[in-house]
Amino acid sequence: MQKTALITGATSGLGYDFVQLFAQDGYRLVLVARDGQKLEDIKRSLKHVEVITVAKDLSAPHAASEVFAELEERQIAVDVLVNNAGFGLMGLFDELDIQKQINMIQLNIAALTELTYYALKHMKARNSGRIMNVASTAAFQPGPMMSVYYATKAYVLSFSEALVEELAGTAITVTTLCPGPTQTNFGAVANVEGTKMFSAAMPSNIVAKQGYQALMAGKRVIITGGMNRAGALAAKFLPRSWAAKMAKYVAGAK
Ligand SMILES: NC(=O)c1ccc[n+]([C@@H]2O[C@H](COP(=O)([O-])OP(=O)(O)OC[C@H]3O[C@@H](n4cnc5c(N)ncnc54)[C@H](OP(=O)(O)O)[C@@H]3O)[C@@H](O)[C@H]2O)c1
């Protein structure tokens, strides 16, 4: 039977690359992002698979439940959920726009949580399914100059790893993808291009491929890139104050 994958943030960067990987494997696709025109362009480019587009601002309260209401109306069950949509912002917490930071929490945390909740209902009914939540290497330490972003990603990692244990013994897997800096539109949106942290950003298609393979293997956590794995390991053993200082250093100009 044909399987359905729901991918958020499908119009750009990692999400776009996930779309190509799922399409190659013949999945029916449900693609979510704000830009309806881009979603339609992607749908037109994928001739051999069925694509359902849902243009939705996931930072709006209840947007996630509206996505699932639409799917239930069409009697579409989700086999794979990729919670990928997200953004960051660089700057001092009190100088960044507060509404933008609240929207970030709504998108990176609340929408991801709510989408997971509804997808799990589909998956538990059939005792099978796969979920990938896109966190970041930002999940492993506090991130001065991107304080809210780093905190949202720490939530994603903690939440996802807890679900792995709740779902032990079922055929439902939860994988957390933790990329380091990656060549997507993220850098421009977050205003982090030109920082030390972005001087060695990985190509998006390589990060997406590694994430996809980990998802299909049911791995718990995947950190892409040797340097990123080393950084995450260091953050685990350093005092939190040192790890935060390191994050502040790499957020500085090259
Ligand atoms: N690139 C990196 O360095 C990096 C590193 C670690 C983790 N990540 C994570 O990777 C994920 C994907 O980001 P990316 O790097 O691929 O960035 P990107 O190229 O900017 O893509 C972001 C995607 O999310 C969608 N999106 C943004 N706001 C949305 C909203 N309010 N509602 C619905 N969709 C929304 C965008 O489409 P529309 O504009 O059409 O809505 C776009 O498709 C994010 O969770 C990010 O935090 C990225």
Side-chain angles (χ1 to χ4, degrees), residues 125-201:
R126 285 165 298 141
N127 189 28
S128 91
R130 295 191 186 285
I131 297 172
M132 178 156 67
N133 289 334
V134 180
S136 165
T137 48
F140 298 100
Q141 66 280 296
M145 302 308 289
M146 291 185 90
S147 56
V148 174
Y149 178 72
Y150 274 57
T152 65
K153 294 303 183 178
Y155 171 92
V156 174
L157 178 62
S158 174
F159 169 62
S160 308
E161 288 197 278
L163 288 187
V164 171
E165 292 310 320
E166 287 192 12
L167 294 165
T170 73
I172 303 168
T173 62
V174 181
T175 300
T176 311
L177 172 62
C178 298
T182 306
Q183 294 159 17
T184 67
N185 210 29
F186 177 91
V189 172
N191 196 24
V192 291
E193 285 169 333
T195 59
K196 287 184 207 68
M197 115 178 57
F198 255 71
S199 58

Side-chain angles (χ1 to χ4, degrees), residues 74-239:
R74 295 185 188 208
Q75 296 188 314
I76 295 170
V78 171
D79 299 284
V80 183
L81 170 66
V82 180
N83 269 316
N84 164 74
F87 74 97
L89 289 174
M90 159 82 84
L92 289 170
F93 167 67
D94 60 301
E95 290 182 4
L96 289 170
D97 186 290
I98 189 60
Q99 191 52 51
K100 283 188 187 161
Q101 296 186 89
I102 298 297
N103 289 350
M104 189 198 305
I105 295 170
Q106 189 68 33
L107 177 65
N108 296 10
I109 294 182
L112 174 143
T113 305
E114 209 175 341
L115 288 167
T116 303
Y117 181 84
Y118 292 114
L120 264 179
K121 296 222 176 293
H122 291 199
M123 293 172 185
K124 279 208 163 166
R126 285 165 298 141
N127 189 28
S128 91
R130 295 191 186 285
I131 297 172
M132 178 156 67
N133 289 334
V134 180
S136 165
T137 48
F140 298 100
Q141 66 280 296
M145 302 308 289
M146 291 185 90
S147 56
V148 174
Y149 178 72
Y150 274 57
T152 65
K153 294 303 183 178
Y155 171 92
V156 174
L157 178 62
S158 174
F159 169 62
S160 308
E161 288 197 278
L163 288 187
V164 171
E165 292 310 320
E166 287 192 12
L167 294 165
T170 73
I172 303 168
T173 62
V174 181
T175 300
T176 311
L177 172 62
C178 298
T182 306
Q183 294 159 17
T184 67
N185 210 29
F186 177 91
V189 172
N191 196 24
V192 291
E193 285 169 333
T195 59
K196 287 184 207 68
M197 115 178 57
F198 255 71
S199 58
M202 285 177 71
S204 171
N205 60 339
I206 292 177
V207 173
K209 182 87 190 275
Q210 290 179 11
Y212 186 78
Q213 285 167 342
L215 170 70
M216 292 307 161
K219 288 205 175 136
R220 189 187 182 103
V221 177
I222 159 117
I223 303 168
T224 50
M227 286 300 286
N228 296 326
R229 279 191 290 279
L233 193 69
K236 218 182 241 179
F237 293 107
L238 284 174

